[in-house]
Every structure is written in structure tokens, then in C-alpha cells.
mmCIF file of all heavy atoms in Angstrom:
data_model
loop_
_atom_site.group_PDB
_atom_site.id
_atom_site.type_symbol
_atom_site.label_atom_id
_atom_site.label_comp_id
_atom_site.label_asym_id
_atom_site.label_seq_id
_atom_site.Cartn_x
_atom_site.Cartn_y
_atom_site.Cartn_z
ATOM 1 N N ASP A 1 81.254 -29.167 11.782
ATOM 2 C CA ASP A 1 79.960 -28.702 11.274
ATOM 3 C C ASP A 1 79.671 -27.269 11.740
ATOM 4 O O ASP A 1 79.026 -26.513 11.019
ATOM 5 C CB ASP A 1 78.842 -29.625 11.771
ATOM 6 C CG ASP A 1 78.942 -31.021 11.194
ATOM 7 O OD1 ASP A 1 78.831 -31.161 9.958
ATOM 8 O OD2 ASP A 1 79.156 -31.981 11.962
ATOM 9 N N ALA A 2 80.111 -26.935 12.944
ATOM 10 C CA ALA A 2 79.823 -25.618 13.500
ATOM 11 C C ALA A 2 80.911 -25.229 14.491
ATOM 12 O O ALA A 2 81.615 -26.087 15.029
ATOM 13 C CB ALA A 2 78.454 -25.621 14.172
ATOM 14 N N PHE A 3 81.016 -23.932 14.723
ATOM 15 C CA PHE A 3 82.012 -23.385 15.673
ATOM 16 C C PHE A 3 81.338 -22.461 16.669
ATOM 17 O O PHE A 3 80.403 -21.730 16.321
ATOM 18 C CB PHE A 3 83.086 -22.601 14.918
ATOM 19 C CG PHE A 3 83.967 -23.445 14.056
ATOM 20 C CD1 PHE A 3 83.618 -23.703 12.738
ATOM 21 C CD2 PHE A 3 85.161 -23.972 14.529
ATOM 22 C CE1 PHE A 3 84.409 -24.478 11.914
ATOM 23 C CE2 PHE A 3 85.989 -24.738 13.723
ATOM 24 C CZ PHE A 3 85.597 -25.011 12.413
ATOM 25 N N VAL A 4 81.858 -22.482 17.889
ATOM 26 C CA VAL A 4 81.446 -21.527 18.914
ATOM 27 C C VAL A 4 82.429 -20.369 18.881
ATOM 28 O O VAL A 4 83.642 -20.567 19.097
ATOM 29 C CB VAL A 4 81.435 -22.189 20.305
ATOM 30 C CG1 VAL A 4 81.233 -21.154 21.401
ATOM 31 C CG2 VAL A 4 80.349 -23.256 20.357
ATOM 32 N N ILE A 5 81.930 -19.173 18.590
ATOM 33 C CA ILE A 5 82.769 -17.978 18.501
ATOM 34 C C ILE A 5 82.624 -17.180 19.787
ATOM 35 O O ILE A 5 81.625 -16.485 20.012
ATOM 36 C CB ILE A 5 82.399 -17.116 17.276
ATOM 37 C CG1 ILE A 5 82.391 -17.958 16.013
ATOM 38 C CG2 ILE A 5 83.352 -15.926 17.142
ATOM 39 C CD1 ILE A 5 83.689 -18.635 15.658
ATOM 40 N N GLY A 6 83.591 -17.306 20.668
ATOM 41 C CA GLY A 6 83.544 -16.591 21.945
ATOM 42 C C GLY A 6 83.610 -17.554 23.104
ATOM 43 O O GLY A 6 84.109 -18.668 23.021
ATOM 44 N N GLU A 7 83.085 -17.107 24.239
ATOM 45 C CA GLU A 7 83.176 -17.858 25.496
ATOM 46 C C GLU A 7 81.998 -18.825 25.611
ATOM 47 O O GLU A 7 80.844 -18.462 25.391
ATOM 48 C CB GLU A 7 83.221 -16.877 26.662
ATOM 49 C CG GLU A 7 84.473 -16.006 26.589
ATOM 50 C CD GLU A 7 84.501 -14.871 27.594
ATOM 51 O OE1 GLU A 7 83.647 -14.864 28.524
ATOM 52 O OE2 GLU A 7 85.369 -13.995 27.481
ATOM 53 N N GLY A 8 82.318 -20.060 25.971
ATOM 54 C CA GLY A 8 81.334 -21.126 25.955
ATOM 55 C C GLY A 8 80.122 -20.871 26.813
ATOM 56 O O GLY A 8 79.001 -21.212 26.441
ATOM 57 N N GLU A 9 80.324 -20.251 27.975
ATOM 58 C CA GLU A 9 79.179 -19.997 28.875
ATOM 59 C C GLU A 9 78.156 -19.097 28.224
ATOM 60 O O GLU A 9 76.954 -19.156 28.545
ATOM 61 C CB GLU A 9 79.658 -19.339 30.179
ATOM 62 C CG GLU A 9 80.718 -20.126 30.929
ATOM 63 C CD GLU A 9 82.107 -19.570 30.690
ATOM 64 O OE1 GLU A 9 82.414 -19.244 29.530
ATOM 65 O OE2 GLU A 9 82.855 -19.442 31.665
ATOM 66 N N ALA A 10 78.614 -18.233 27.273
ATOM 67 C CA ALA A 10 77.714 -17.275 26.639
ATOM 68 C C ALA A 10 77.023 -17.842 25.404
ATOM 69 O O ALA A 10 76.079 -17.249 24.904
ATOM 70 C CB ALA A 10 78.494 -16.010 26.273
ATOM 71 N N VAL A 11 77.514 -18.984 24.903
ATOM 72 C CA VAL A 11 76.986 -19.532 23.657
ATOM 73 C C VAL A 11 76.304 -20.886 23.848
ATOM 74 O O VAL A 11 75.236 -21.143 23.262
ATOM 75 C CB VAL A 11 78.113 -19.664 22.596
ATOM 76 C CG1 VAL A 11 77.558 -20.232 21.287
ATOM 77 C CG2 VAL A 11 78.794 -18.339 22.347
ATOM 78 N N MET A 12 76.902 -21.760 24.636
ATOM 79 C CA MET A 12 76.437 -23.156 24.700
ATOM 80 C C MET A 12 74.995 -23.320 25.164
ATOM 81 O O MET A 12 74.273 -24.187 24.628
ATOM 82 C CB MET A 12 77.372 -23.983 25.588
ATOM 83 C CG MET A 12 78.742 -24.235 24.958
ATOM 84 S SD MET A 12 78.645 -25.063 23.345
ATOM 85 C CE MET A 12 77.918 -26.624 23.789
ATOM 86 N N PRO A 13 74.485 -22.540 26.128
ATOM 87 C CA PRO A 13 73.071 -22.726 26.505
ATOM 88 C C PRO A 13 72.126 -22.506 25.329
ATOM 89 O O PRO A 13 71.228 -23.340 25.096
ATOM 90 C CB PRO A 13 72.876 -21.678 27.606
ATOM 91 C CG PRO A 13 74.229 -21.522 28.229
ATOM 92 C CD PRO A 13 75.174 -21.615 27.055
ATOM 93 N N ALA A 14 72.327 -21.434 24.563
ATOM 94 C CA ALA A 14 71.457 -21.175 23.421
ATOM 95 C C ALA A 14 71.684 -22.168 22.314
ATOM 96 O O ALA A 14 70.730 -22.573 21.625
ATOM 97 C CB ALA A 14 71.690 -19.728 22.905
ATOM 98 N N LEU A 15 72.932 -22.596 22.118
ATOM 99 C CA LEU A 15 73.224 -23.598 21.086
ATOM 100 C C LEU A 15 72.503 -24.900 21.394
ATOM 101 O O LEU A 15 71.868 -25.503 20.508
ATOM 102 C CB LEU A 15 74.731 -23.824 20.991
ATOM 103 C CG LEU A 15 75.228 -24.738 19.869
ATOM 104 C CD1 LEU A 15 76.657 -24.358 19.474
ATOM 105 C CD2 LEU A 15 75.215 -26.213 20.256
ATOM 106 N N MET A 16 72.564 -25.363 22.634
ATOM 107 C CA MET A 16 71.928 -26.615 22.991
ATOM 108 C C MET A 16 70.404 -26.499 22.989
ATOM 109 O O MET A 16 69.706 -27.457 22.622
ATOM 110 C CB MET A 16 72.411 -27.109 24.363
ATOM 111 C CG MET A 16 73.892 -27.501 24.381
ATOM 112 S SD MET A 16 74.323 -28.738 23.134
ATOM 113 C CE MET A 16 73.355 -30.154 23.644
ATOM 114 N N ASP A 17 69.883 -25.318 23.358
ATOM 115 C CA ASP A 17 68.432 -25.106 23.253
ATOM 116 C C ASP A 17 67.989 -25.252 21.785
ATOM 117 O O ASP A 17 66.994 -25.920 21.492
ATOM 118 C CB ASP A 17 68.057 -23.719 23.773
ATOM 119 C CG ASP A 17 68.138 -23.612 25.287
ATOM 120 O OD1 ASP A 17 68.230 -24.656 25.960
ATOM 121 O OD2 ASP A 17 68.127 -22.476 25.792
ATOM 122 N N ALA A 18 68.736 -24.596 20.896
ATOM 123 C CA ALA A 18 68.386 -24.652 19.475
ATOM 124 C C ALA A 18 68.518 -26.091 18.953
ATOM 125 O O ALA A 18 67.678 -26.545 18.143
ATOM 126 C CB ALA A 18 69.282 -23.720 18.677
ATOM 127 N N TYR A 19 69.542 -26.790 19.374
ATOM 128 C CA TYR A 19 69.721 -28.184 18.941
ATOM 129 C C TYR A 19 68.526 -29.036 19.326
ATOM 130 O O TYR A 19 67.960 -29.776 18.489
ATOM 131 C CB TYR A 19 71.007 -28.765 19.535
ATOM 132 C CG TYR A 19 71.169 -30.237 19.262
ATOM 133 C CD1 TYR A 19 71.716 -30.682 18.054
ATOM 134 C CD2 TYR A 19 70.782 -31.179 20.201
ATOM 135 C CE1 TYR A 19 71.815 -32.043 17.786
ATOM 136 C CE2 TYR A 19 70.907 -32.541 19.956
ATOM 137 C CZ TYR A 19 71.414 -32.958 18.740
ATOM 138 O OH TYR A 19 71.530 -34.307 18.491
ATOM 139 N N HIS A 20 68.108 -28.939 20.574
ATOM 140 C CA HIS A 20 67.002 -29.767 21.029
ATOM 141 C C HIS A 20 65.690 -29.358 20.362
ATOM 142 O O HIS A 20 64.837 -30.229 20.060
ATOM 143 C CB HIS A 20 66.882 -29.676 22.544
ATOM 144 C CG HIS A 20 67.936 -30.474 23.273
ATOM 145 N ND1 HIS A 20 69.003 -29.890 23.900
ATOM 146 C CD2 HIS A 20 68.086 -31.801 23.436
ATOM 147 C CE1 HIS A 20 69.773 -30.828 24.437
ATOM 148 N NE2 HIS A 20 69.249 -31.988 24.150
ATOM 149 N N GLU A 21 65.505 -28.079 20.117
ATOM 150 C CA GLU A 21 64.300 -27.634 19.399
ATOM 151 C C GLU A 21 64.261 -28.241 17.989
ATOM 152 O O GLU A 21 63.209 -28.686 17.523
ATOM 153 C CB GLU A 21 64.276 -26.109 19.320
ATOM 154 C CG GLU A 21 63.990 -25.414 20.655
ATOM 155 C CD GLU A 21 64.295 -23.934 20.607
ATOM 156 O OE1 GLU A 21 64.628 -23.433 19.511
ATOM 157 O OE2 GLU A 21 64.198 -23.274 21.667
ATOM 158 N N GLY A 22 65.423 -28.235 17.324
ATOM 159 C CA GLY A 22 65.481 -28.796 15.988
ATOM 160 C C GLY A 22 65.239 -30.289 15.971
ATOM 161 O O GLY A 22 64.538 -30.821 15.079
ATOM 162 N N VAL A 23 65.771 -30.999 16.957
ATOM 163 C CA VAL A 23 65.562 -32.449 17.031
ATOM 164 C C VAL A 23 64.085 -32.768 17.296
ATOM 165 O O VAL A 23 63.503 -33.648 16.665
ATOM 166 C CB VAL A 23 66.464 -33.066 18.139
ATOM 167 C CG1 VAL A 23 66.087 -34.528 18.396
ATOM 168 C CG2 VAL A 23 67.934 -32.964 17.752
ATOM 169 N N ARG A 24 63.475 -31.999 18.225
ATOM 170 C CA ARG A 24 62.055 -32.226 18.517
ATOM 171 C C ARG A 24 61.179 -31.966 17.275
ATOM 172 O O ARG A 24 60.137 -32.606 17.085
ATOM 173 C CB ARG A 24 61.608 -31.355 19.677
ATOM 174 C CG ARG A 24 62.104 -31.841 21.035
ATOM 175 C CD ARG A 24 61.373 -31.156 22.152
ATOM 176 N NE ARG A 24 61.611 -29.718 22.177
ATOM 177 C CZ ARG A 24 62.607 -29.133 22.858
ATOM 178 N NH1 ARG A 24 63.441 -29.888 23.558
ATOM 179 N NH2 ARG A 24 62.764 -27.830 22.830
#
């Protein structure tokens, strides 16, 4: 469904924040 482009430490915090915001 989606890809992380780059280093996980630089992307995953914002990705998970956005995911939880969307779920809420």
C-alpha cells in the first residue's frame, strides 16, 4: 500500500503519527 523512501528513523515517526491521526 505504501513505501518508506529513505532511512526508517527519519520517516517512521511521522508516518505513524499520520496513521494514528487518520484512525482517530
Side-chain angles (χ1 to χ4, degrees):
D1 294 297
F3 293 88
V4 171
I5 308 301
E7 297 172 11
E9 303 101 318
V11 180
M12 289 303 296
L15 185 154
M16 293 306 297
D17 287 346
Y19 173 83
H20 285 105
E21 289 167 5
V23 170
R24 286 194 296 270

